Amino acid sequence: MPDDGTLKFNDVFKKEIELINERRASDKPARKIMLEEDGTDSTGEIVLRPKEDAKLVGLALSGGGVRSSAFCLGALQALDEAKVLDRVDYLSTVSGGGYIGCSLSSALQTTQGKFPFKPDAVEDETPSMQHIRNHSNYLFPNGAIDLLRNASIYVRGLVANFLLVTPILLIGAALTIVSYLSPVLSPVSSGWTTFFAIPVPNIFSFDNFVVTVYLSLILLAVTIVWGLLRSTKRFQSRSEVPDRFTTGVGWLVLIIFFSAFCELQPFVLDALIVDQQPGTFFGSLAAGIDRIAVALAPVAAVIAFLGNKLGEYIKSAKESSSLKTQFAGYAAKAAVYLAALVLPIVLWAIYLNITYWGICISYAGSGCDYPTWLYKFAHHLFGERQPAAKLYLLLAAIFLLLMLFLRPNANSLHPLYRDRLGTAFLFKPQDTLPNNKTLDSLRIKLSDVTGKWGPYHLINAALNIQNSKVANKRGRNADFFLFSQNFVGSETTGYVPTKDMEQVASTLDLATVMAVSGAAASSNMGAETIKPLTPTLAILNVRLGYWLRNPMRVQDVMEAKEHGFLGWLRNPMQMAKGSRRNIFANFYFIAELFGLLNEKRKSIYLTDGGHIENLGLYELLKRCCQVIIVIDAEADPEMAFGSFNTLVRYARIDLGVEIDLPWQEITDTTQEISKEMDKEGNSKKKKGPHCAIGEITYPATGDPKRGKERKGVLVYIKSSLTGDENDYVFHYRKRHSAFPHETTLDQLFSEEQFEAYRALGYHAAYGLFDRRDDFAKLDNKEYPLARRHAALLDELFPRMTSGKPPQTGGTRAHTEGGTSGQSGSGPPDQKQHFVDWF
């Protein structure tokens, strides 16, 4: 155990397997998992793996908002009916897949294992299904009144951010007023100038930008000395980076730019106060700042709100073969940078205006205009000598004091998002429900999901660490962060028991974790961060992310709680570290604003798991699952399998795992069917593939004499079209050409839209495990174990369909949905086993 009291991954993995074995104990015969040591990794840590006969099964539900939750719901219904879900040991979810995944875990815990979403006939649809469907428009379930409520909560957060930013503007304005008026109120002698009211000797013939020129000369001298030193034998062998000279010169350049900006302000203020002639450069600049800010601010706000989706679109456009789409992507990228420029202009305009008022109040020049109430208030409090500067500093102090009473998660959009999701997806299932009644909401602690009645649930989030000097060497801006019923943490921060974290973070429950995993819109978005927009998103309160106490600091809290008041008397400094409340947490907003987040701070910032990996597959590979089923319902209009290919890179670099998946056949079929639907209004009816079955190769890390690579099976079910979907799915596709990859920006699903995705998810998953649909396969010659993998799937998931006409979900060729039973003959061309397709 590390000195900070956190646990390592092996400790977490052992406990997970222990709980999975408790659930497996009820199987007949019991299927106990045994772990074995298999060498060490690159850090020297022992690698634990399940023995080959463990047959550890994982299920991953991808991100994608309510679209993914609908598709994954249908897939879960199919997996339950085919008796596949009973064999799943791990459930790993991210973002939208976590909506329905958390709903399933909480329902199984409440009903002690009874699946709540049975796909029965519509007239007998379970109350749980009705509840999920009725809340598909979860952000505005009550219509226009919710728009008003949501807007009021957003405005409250905007005002809270105003309290955080205003002191900086006020202090800057006060210093500028003092600097601007000091030559008038306290004239300096010839040969001197002032910089923020500090006398500075002036050896030049001009009075402006003196400090900037001094600094530039210092930079020139330092650079010359640096060049001479680098030419010596001693310094030629030294590394350029990192180097104290390199860092120092870089900081000096930034200081020069800041000095130039500060010394520019008097010119602009002169234009506002005295010149005002539009013909002068600074007069035109001063007149234009306000106009530009007013004109572009609304545009920038809209772009900021859509920033996450614009990022997705830009990424998708780059992958497109269409020049028109690529050009649109570049245009969207230009719009993002334009929006990023607007916020500094708006803040500059605010700073200039309040500075202008302050100067006018203290020293009214010709044509000077200012609020009368501000003049009276400042002079009443502070008399005649620079009253505005003193007033601004007083207000800044008051705002800084108020900041200490604000909590970082209280006024972001996270609580609203959490409550909306909790109402929609966390409830107490019932077999029957009287008319005009609704299911009761369920607020359940994360630690109360025992895993006894369903798969062990891994909920994925992204730990934002843009400023980490150690963990961010690969430029991902994030690390994989995990929530489960027993542990919370990451490799970067270490892991702690969930119950300990719940004592520190009182708001941490299943609804909170579900919202964190799906916090798609935020200022910092891990690998998906749009850096130019980070300050804009933060200030405009587009922040669904969540601040959590760093796991490596949780032990401090537990020790402080254990020692109580006597501990404070004996060692107040140490006990202060363990305070449950981080009184400076609001100042982390500055770190969030400028992307200065790392893994060492007392609190860490978490966002959507899709900001680093959008499939939920990584954590299952880390646990060496022998069979992994992935339900991929992300927005992928180009069918480029972007998230999968990103995951392949992560798996190879981090875990040494190789994945071979023949996904191209799914892409080709979907694109062919989509083109036919768009052109002819009809299409072929193909039996798959919605799915590809591939091979996972886990590296040999043990003794070379006995160590060997281990193989696993990847079953990858993709949101795709094959033309034999049921009539209402087909009808919806004819009217919505983007289906089944409509934008994740759309979170307001209609009943028809939700049902189309649910039915497609059911169709894709059930068709595979019923052996009705063909699937994309690896070549037997190149991958000789492919048939053995199919045989393993036949062993774990025998075909359960009775051959009777199913009840829901359906295809245009026949209806589907079926009742469970023992293997039957089925249609004449129906396969009985996966190996039959080879």
Side-chain angles (χ1 to χ4, degrees):
M1 180 182 292
D3 294 338
D4 56 16
T6 58
L7 303 171
K8 291 185 175 293
F9 173 73
N10 282 347
D11 303 312
V12 172
F13 191 30
K14 289 176 184 177
K15 183 62 176 178
E16 290 173 355
I17 294 301
E18 179 183 325
L19 294 172
I20 290 172
N21 278 332
E22 290 180 9
R23 179 173 171 239
R24 279 192 173 196
S26 61
D27 293 347
K28 304 297 182 183
R31 301 176 296 120
K32 189 172 183 179
I33 302 169
M34 300 296 293
L35 295 177
E36 60 181 357
E37 295 182 2
D38 191 13
T40 57
D41 61 18
S42 59
T43 66
E45 290 293 324
I46 293 173
V47 175
L48 288 180
R49 287 181 171 173
K51 289 189 175 181
E52 291 191 71
D53 61 355
K55 298 185 175 72
L56 194 62
V57 178
L59 170 63
L61 305 182
S62 82
V66 71
R67 179 192 62 250
S68 178
S69 68
F71 184 88
C72 291
L73 169 59
L76 287 172
Q77 290 175 317
L79 296 180
D80 174 70
E81 194 158 340
K83 302 302 180 186
V84 173
L85 197 57
D86 293 340
R87 301 301 295 264
V88 172
D89 299 301
Y90 277 111
L91 173 64
S92 179
T93 64
V94 58
S95 194
Y99 300 171
I100 197 64
C102 290
S103 184
L104 175 66
S105 290
S106 64
L108 291 176
Q109 183 66 33
T110 304
T111 62
Q112 297 188 348
K114 183 177 180 181
F115 186 74
F117 307 121
K118 292 290 184 182
D120 298 325
V122 173
E123 59 268 25
D124 296 323
E125 192 172 58
T126 64
S128 297
M129 270 297 301
Q130 293 173 8
H131 182 93
I132 292 284
R133 195 188 305 282
N134 292 341
H135 285 81
S136 58
N137 180 11
Y138 68 92
L139 287 175
F140 302 97
N142 300 306
I145 187 64
D146 281 330
L147 179 62
L148 182 62
R149 292 167 178 163
N150 294 358
S152 65
I153 292 171
Y154 170 74
V155 170
R156 184 192 69 203
L158 207 58
V159 172
N161 285 358
F162 169 78
L163 288 178
L164 299 171
V165 174
T166 301
I168 300 173
L169 298 176
L170 290 171
I171 292 171
L175 293 175
T176 305
I177 292 168
V178 172
S179 179
Y180 186 89
L181 293 178
S182 59
V184 178
L185 300 176
S186 302
V188 295
S189 59
S190 177
W192 290 78
T193 186
T194 59
F195 186 76
F196 288 115
I198 301 172
V200 177
N202 181 9
I203 63 174
F204 307 109
S205 60
F206 49 84
D207 295 325
N208 302 304
F209 294 99
V210 173
V211 174
T212 301
V213 173
Y214 279 145
L215 291 172
S216 298
L217 291 174
I218 293 172
L219 175 63
L220 177 62
V222 169
T223 306
I224 292 172
V225 172
W226 188 18
L228 292 172
L229 288 174
R230 288 298 303 179
S231 300
T232 63
K233 290 184 178 180
R234 177 184 175 185
F235 278 82
Q236 283 183 31
S237 60
R238 286 180 55 171
S239 174
E240 286 273 31
V241 181
D243 182 77
R244 284 178 293 179
F245 271 104
T246 306
T247 304
V249 169
W251 275 107
L252 185 54
V253 171
L254 290 177
I255 291 170
I256 290 172
F257 278 111
F258 178 73
S259 172
F261 178 77
C262 292
E263 293 193 288
L264 171 66
Q265 303 315 302
F267 289 93
V268 182
L269 291 167
D270 281 342
L272 283 171
I273 297 170
V274 181
D275 295 337
Q276 295 191 16
Q277 290 91 2
T280 65
F281 171 76
F282 289 108
S284 300
L285 177 62
I289 291 172
D290 284 346
R291 295 172 188 169
I292 293 172
V294 171
L296 294 183
V299 178
V302 171
I303 293 175
F305 274 99
L306 302 180
N308 184 44
K309 305 313 166 190
L310 279 174
E312 289 182 4
Y313 178 77
I314 293 168
K315 183 179 178 181
S316 176
K318 288 180 180 178
E319 297 173 346
S320 175
S321 58
S322 168
L323 290 176
K324 182 178 179 181
T325 303
Q326 290 180 15
F327 179 79
Y330 285 115
K333 190 171 184 178
V336 166
Y337 278 90
L338 175 63
L341 287 173
V342 171
L343 181 67
I345 293 174
V346 170
L347 293 178
W348 189 23
I350 295 172
Y351 153 79
L352 285 175
N353 277 283
I354 61 177
T355 304
Y356 164 73
W357 294 341
I359 293 171
C360 289
I361 289 170
S362 300
Y363 180 72
S366 61
C368 209
D369 187 22
Y370 50 83
T372 304
W373 65 268
L374 187 60
Y375 174 88
K376 293 180 179 179
F377 189 54
H379 279 272
H380 177 73
L381 286 179
F382 298 106
E384 297 297 326
R385 188 171 180 81
Q386 297 194 2
K390 296 174 182 177
L391 175 62
Y392 289 168
L393 291 175
L394 174 63
L395 291 176
I398 293 172
F399 286 151
L400 288 171
L401 181 63
L402 291 175
M403 284 175 61
L404 298 177
F405 295 94
L406 294 174
R407 306 310 304 147
N409 294 319
N411 294 291
S412 71
L413 293 177
H414 164 78
L416 170 65
Y417 187 49
R418 174 201 65 202
D419 293 343
R420 293 299 192 203
L421 285 175
T423 300
F425 293 98
L426 301 180
F427 48 82
K428 298 176 182 178
Q430 294 181 215
D431 293 332
T432 59
L433 194 66
N435 290 334
N436 301 319
K437 296 291 184 180
T438 59
L439 293 175
D440 294 332
S441 295
L442 180 67
R443 292 303 295 264
I444 181 174
K445 285 186 176 182
L446 182 59
S447 59
D448 287 341
V449 182
T450 63
K452 180 179 180 180
W453 309 104
Y456 190 95
H457 196 170
L458 309 173
I459 305 171
N460 297 270
L463 168 63
N464 287 263
I465 49 171
Q466 289 89 332
N467 196 42
S468 173
K469 296 180 180 179
V470 177
N472 196 30
K473 288 182 177 179
R474 295 166 182 166
R476 295 177 184 174
N477 295 327
D479 189 21
F480 302 90
F481 196 90
L482 177 69
F483 291 98
S484 72
Q485 54 255 44
N486 286 97
F487 299 100
V488 173
S490 68
E491 290 283 3
T492 305
T493 62
Y495 301 86
V496 294
T498 301
K499 289 185 177 180
D500 288 353
M501 184 62 82
E502 287 173 341
Q503 292 187 51
V504 177
S506 59
T507 60
L508 188 68
D509 58 13
L510 188 60
T512 295
V513 171
M514 176 172 56
V516 172
S517 179
S522 192
S523 54
N524 293 268
M525 299 183 290
E528 304 298 322
T529 298
I530 305 174
K531 292 184 179 180
L533 276 183
T534 296
T536 302
L537 291 167
I539 291 176
L540 292 181
N541 200 36
V542 185
R543 302 159 62 230
L544 293 175
Y546 184 79
W547 285 97
L548 180 71
R549 181 62 61 91
N550 194 326
M552 65 176 63
R553 300 292 189 92
V554 168
Q555 184 185 31
D556 294 336
V557 180
M558 305 308 294
E559 288 180 355
K561 184 178 179 181
E562 179 182 351
H563 291 90
F565 180 71
L566 290 178
W568 281 94
L569 294 177
R570 292 177 188 140
N571 194 343
M573 294 298 295
Q574 181 64 31
M575 292 300 101
K577 290 182 179 180
S579 173
R580 289 187 60 179
R581 188 179 182 199
N582 183 2
I583 61 172
F584 296 109
N586 284 303
F587 293 98
Y588 286 178
F589 176 77
I590 305 300
E592 183 184 344
L593 193 69
F594 294 105
L596 301 176
L597 307 173
N598 62 49
E599 77 283 7
K600 298 297 184 182
R601 299 186 186 276
K602 195 171 183 179
S603 298
I604 52 175
Y605 192 60
L606 305 173
T607 57
D608 193 319
H611 290 160
I612 186 167
E613 196 267 303
N614 202 35
L615 298 175
L617 178 53
Y618 185 93
E619 293 291 344
L620 299 178
L621 293 173
K622 194 172 180 178
R623 288 157 175 78
C624 298
C625 291
Q626 191 169 357
V627 177
I628 300 177
I629 303 168
V630 176
I631 312 296
D632 180 1
E634 73 165 355
D636 187 11
E638 299 296 329
M639 291 294 289
F641 283 68
S643 288
F644 171 73
N645 288 305
T646 298
L647 179 279
V648 169
R649 182 176 80 250
Y650 290 162
R652 183 184 297 120
I653 294 171
D654 297 359
L655 308 174
V657 174
E658 297 286 345
I659 303 175
D660 296 287
L661 185 73
W663 56 267
Q664 188 62 50
E665 187 178 345
I666 302 176
T667 297
D668 294 341
T669 300
T670 295
Q671 291 180 340
E672 176 189 354
I673 295 299
S674 295
K675 288 178 181 178
E676 289 182 4
M677 287 183 177
D678 291 336
K679 186 177 180 179
E680 307 292 340
N682 208 335
S683 68
K684 302 182 184 70
K685 302 176 180 64
K686 293 189 173 184
K687 291 187 175 181
H690 290 286
C691 171
I693 296 182
E695 182 176 89
I696 305 169
T697 303
Y698 294 107
T701 60
D703 184 347
K705 295 181 180 180
R706 67 178 181 85
K708 62 179 180 179
E709 294 181 338
R710 298 192 182 186
K711 300 294 184 178
V713 188
L714 179 63
V715 180
Y716 200 100
I717 301 174
K718 180 75 170 177
S719 180
S720 54
L721 299 172
T722 57
D724 66 336
E725 290 77 25
N726 67 23
D727 288 330
Y728 57 83
V729 172
F730 185 77
H731 182 62
Y732 183 85
R733 169 59 182 78
K734 286 174 66 176
R735 292 178 291 112
H736 301 85
S737 61
F739 179 84
H741 297 288
E742 294 168 296
T743 174
T744 313
L745 184 63
D746 181 8
Q747 293 291 291
L748 310 178
F749 269 37
S750 64
E751 177 184 289
E752 179 191 24
Q753 189 177 15
F754 186 89
E755 179 58 21
Y757 280 99
R758 186 212 63 82
L760 179 63
Y762 184 97
H763 169 80
Y766 193 84
L768 173 71
F769 287 100
D770 191 40
R771 279 61 163 184
R772 182 194 66 234
D773 285 352
D774 193 5
F775 49 89
K777 300 173 280 292
L778 295 171
D779 187 289
N780 278 327
K781 295 180 180 178
E782 187 176 356
Y783 299 92
L785 297 180
R787 281 181 58 86
R788 185 185 299 178
H789 296 331
L792 174 62
L793 296 179
D794 283 323
E795 175 191 343
L796 290 174
F797 316 120
R799 182 170 175 264
M800 300 299 293
T801 303
S802 64
K804 298 177 182 178
Q807 298 172 359
T808 67
T811 70
R812 287 186 289 148
H814 61 279
T815 322
E816 68 178 56
T819 50
S820 300
Q822 298 303 315
S823 298
S825 58
D829 59 348
Q830 184 94 25
K831 309 294 185 185
Q832 298 298 309
H833 307 285
F834 284 113
V835 293
D836 294 339
W837 283 102
F838 284 86

